[in-house]
Amino acid sequence: MSYEQVSNYINDLVLYDGYDFVAPTKLELKNAVNATLYRNIAAGSYATIVCPFSITGGADGTFYQPSSMGTEYNTLNFESVSAPEAGKAYLYKANNAVTKLTGKRYTTVSTSIISSGTSFTMEGTYSKIEKLSQGDYVLSGNSSGAGIYRINSDVSLSPFRAYFRINATASNAAKMAICLDGVPTAITQTKQAEGEKIPYYDLLGRRTGRPAQWMYITKGKTIFAR
């Protein structure tokens, strides 16, 4: 972290991925302070992002906030936002490579970073978390097959990222699929209990009866019904 001091204020705030950000206590952030976070995000990949400033430049992709949870299909639903705010956690899908995020900060920095949806939240951090709680979830995978996985071992979280906390009564799945503005990015693998009818899903991830004539997914395989 670096900054340019003007009088008793911080005029320019520069943050670097991998380095903790601790909000100044004796100095104040000047109104409309210029802010930059240097972070590399590959084209086509997913990331969780939290910034102590509203993001207005540098991003070439879409930001999503938590919406709701589809308990039957173990899916977390997100909805897109056009103006990412300071101090909130977002899921981000990059169209092209990103090297830095820029913006403005108008108010004091809050250390409480929680974005809430129905039955789950995204909780962010400006400093490294050495060990996340088992039972929480983290984003894993950078391609279209990225998923949100339940933590069952020692996992750390780098600064300017977020993890997922899911209502304990809602799901205990090992993996949650991601659905963006109603469009699923993957279908969670399901296990068939003994004696249970084989489930079929259409290409939108919706469970359906035995197919008549169309393309369906069952037991992790794509089939053509005629």
Side-chain angles (χ1 to χ4, degrees):
M1 175 184 69
S2 65
Y3 59 82
E4 176 187 348
Q5 181 182 349
V6 178
S7 183
N8 293 322
Y9 297 92
I10 294 175
N11 189 51
D12 292 286
L13 181 66
V14 181
L15 308 172
Y16 296 91
D17 190 27
Y19 293 87
D20 293 353
F21 167 62
V22 180
T25 55
K26 294 184 179 180
L27 298 176
E28 298 182 33
L29 291 174
K30 185 179 180 181
N31 287 340
V33 60
N34 297 315
T36 303
L37 168 63
Y38 286 96
R39 179 175 170 184
N40 293 319
I41 302 174
S45 67
Y46 292 87
T48 58
I49 295 177
V50 296
C51 283
F53 56 84
S54 56
I55 301 170
T56 58
D60 186 359
T62 307
F63 290 86
Y64 298 89
Q65 64 186 4
S67 175
S68 61
M69 180 178 175
T71 55
E72 183 175 358
Y73 306 117
N74 296 328
T75 299
L76 299 186
N77 299 310
F78 297 83
E79 57 187 15
S80 57
V81 297
S82 57
E85 300 177 31
K88 288 190 175 182
Y90 296 100
L91 179 67
Y92 177 72
K93 173 67 182 298
N95 294 330
N96 291 298
V98 173
T99 58
K100 66 179 180 180
L101 301 169
T102 59
K104 299 284 187 179
R105 178 68 206 187
Y106 293 91
T107 59
T108 56
V109 176
S110 172
T111 56
S112 177
I113 311 165
I114 299 178
S115 297
S116 298
T118 303
S119 297
F120 79 101
T121 60
M122 290 183 68
E123 305 193 15
T125 180
Y126 295 137
S127 58
K128 184 177 181 179
I129 299 177
E130 295 293 343
K131 185 178 180 180
L132 293 169
S133 299
Q134 293 195 21
D136 288 334
Y137 288 72
V138 290
L139 176 69
S140 181
N142 292 322
S143 66
S144 59
I148 296 173
Y149 293 84
R150 192 171 189 267
I151 299 171
N152 58 11
S153 60
D154 291 350
V155 176
S156 63
L157 187 70
S158 297
F160 311 112
R161 290 163 174 79
Y163 63 95
F164 303 84
R165 178 157 289 175
I166 297 175
N167 185 335
T169 62
S171 175
N172 198 31
K175 177 186 176 182
M176 305 298 296
I178 300 170
C179 186
L180 306 177
D181 285 338
V183 179
T185 61
I187 296 178
T188 300
Q189 186 74 13
T190 58
K191 292 184 178 180
Q192 180 188 0
E194 184 176 356
E196 181 185 1
K197 293 182 179 179
I198 298 174
Y200 290 85
Y201 299 88
D202 64 18
L203 297 185
L204 293 179
R206 300 172 300 193
R207 188 162 180 165
T208 184
R210 185 170 181 83
Q213 182 175 355
W214 199 243
M215 181 188 295
Y216 289 85
I217 294 175
T218 182
K219 299 178 70 176
K221 299 180 180 179
T222 302
I223 64 172
F224 294 89
R226 299 181 183 278

